[in-house]
Amino acid sequence: MFSNHAKTIKVEIKRQSGPDGSSTVEKFEIPYRPNMNITSVLGEIACNPITADGTATAPITYDANCLEEICGSCAMLINGKARMACSALVDKLTDGSEPITLAPLSKFPVVRDLSVDRSVLFKNLKAVKAWVPIDGTYDLGSGPRQFPQLQEELYPLSNCISCTICMEVCPQFNDSTNFVGAATIAQVKLFNNNPTGAVLKAERLRALAGDGGVQECGFAQNCVEACPKQLPLTEAISDVSRDVLLQQVKDFFVR
Ligand code: SF4
């Protein structure tokens, strides 16, 4: 809880001018207002980009859009922890005596300052065909019916906001592996269980059987702890692992 005596918020931000630039830390001090989140802190600095020692500087580059944990764009390291800037409240991060530290996600190429290139997630989603294949040129009518129990089981998986936090915290997602990460595997479960999406089930499972596939998960379970939308990631990984194995056995016998 922010102390009544502290009238300013101290923020230390890791900055980098471009993908190949060296990084530096700049300190800021901005007026405290109740109920600020990290996105509003960054907005305040953008309005008046002056460091704590009075030096004019370039405004901080960061990604943000919906401001309500839906678009997934504002993920960053806040006090060393991967989380969404829009739902990180200043009152819960510091009592005013210690600075709040902000840094870009560490496992993605820096574009500039707090903005990183997370296109690897979209490349992975494309590789597993994470969509329902439909011909959009004419009305196909309503799709096949789904049991409510299945809808309820799958609905949480549709809440993924592509924030990449599950990949950032995963020890298996690093420079020496091609592991696709929990979000992609969860979407495979979602679309494989969709009555229309299931037509691509075998292709999705084969895509997860090779290099970087589901077998590279080490079950550290950091993903499920860190996911801001509480996706049942470990359950999805177990289910998809089993399906990948079954697909491999099936493929072996029909060769
Ligand atoms: Fe973010 Fe969770 Fe989706 Fe991973 S699974 S990208 S942590 S919302």
Side-chain angles (χ1 to χ4, degrees):
M1 193 67 187
F2 214 86
S3 153
N4 285 334
H5 306 296
K7 297 275 186 255
T8 58
I9 305 165
K10 301 183 193 72
V11 196
E12 293 184 4
I13 304 179
K14 188 174 176 190
R15 306 203 61 178
Q16 191 168 318
S17 61
D20 301 318
S22 56
S23 63
T24 178
V25 172
E26 279 189 345
K27 299 181 182 179
F28 297 86
E29 216 160 305
I30 61 164
Y32 170 77
R33 291 196 317 270
N35 304 321
M36 288 179 91
N37 58 16
I38 292 302
T39 320
S40 57
V41 166
L42 289 166
E44 194 76 31
I45 295 171
C47 291
N48 188 26
I50 309 278
T51 63
D53 65 7
T55 309
T57 188
I60 312 289
T61 299
Y62 61 99
D63 292 314
N65 192 1
C66 73
L67 310 183
E68 53 180 354
E69 225 177 53
I70 299 291
C71 75
S73 64
C74 65
M76 59 183 72
L77 297 179
I78 301 172
N79 286 350
K81 193 174 161 198
R83 51 184 304 183
M84 308 302 294
C86 60
S87 55
L89 300 177
V90 168
D91 289 323
K92 295 196 172 162
L93 291 167
T94 180
D95 62 4
S97 60
E98 293 297 317
I100 296 170
T101 63
L102 304 181
L105 293 179
S106 67
K107 295 192 180 168
F108 301 84
V110 171
V111 175
R112 185 180 165 104
D113 296 336
L114 301 174
S115 174
V116 295
D117 176 1
R118 289 176 292 169
S119 54
V120 62
L121 172 58
F122 303 100
K123 183 177 97 34
N124 293 346
L125 290 170
K126 271 191 211 160
V128 298
K129 302 191 175 176
W131 56 74
V132 172
I134 51 169
D135 182 341
T137 57
Y138 58 95
D139 184 4
L140 293 172
S142 49
R145 296 182 70 127
Q146 269 181 299
F147 288 112
Q149 292 89 337
L150 182 61
Q151 289 174 353
E152 278 170 30
E153 186 188 339
L154 298 182
Y155 178 71
L157 299 172
S158 71
N159 282 333
C160 178
I161 56 174
S162 306
C163 66
T164 65
I165 286 176
C166 55
M167 298 157 81
E168 170 73 16
V169 299
C170 174
Q172 294 297 102
F173 181 75
N174 58 54
D175 286 342
S176 52
T177 75
N178 291 317
F179 183 46
V180 292
T184 299
I185 297 169
Q187 295 312 294
V188 166
K189 177 173 174 182
L190 174 65
F191 289 105
N192 278 359
N193 283 282
N194 179 286
T196 308
V199 71
L200 298 177
K201 181 173 178 177
E203 287 178 57
R204 293 193 194 98
L205 295 175
R206 286 183 195 123
L208 283 182
D211 181 38
V214 69
Q215 81 286 348
E216 299 208 17
C217 170
F219 285 98
Q221 306 199 22
N222 294 1
C223 55
V224 76
E225 301 255 327
C227 174
K229 305 304 280 187
Q230 289 93 41
L231 263 73
L233 294 170
T234 42
E235 193 185 317
I237 291 169
S238 296
D239 290 350
V240 172
S241 283
R242 181 203 56 219
D243 290 349
V244 165
L245 189 62
L246 289 173
Q247 185 65 47
Q248 285 177 305
V249 172
K250 208 164 143 188
D251 287 346
F252 180 79
F253 284 108
V254 295
R255 266 193 299 187

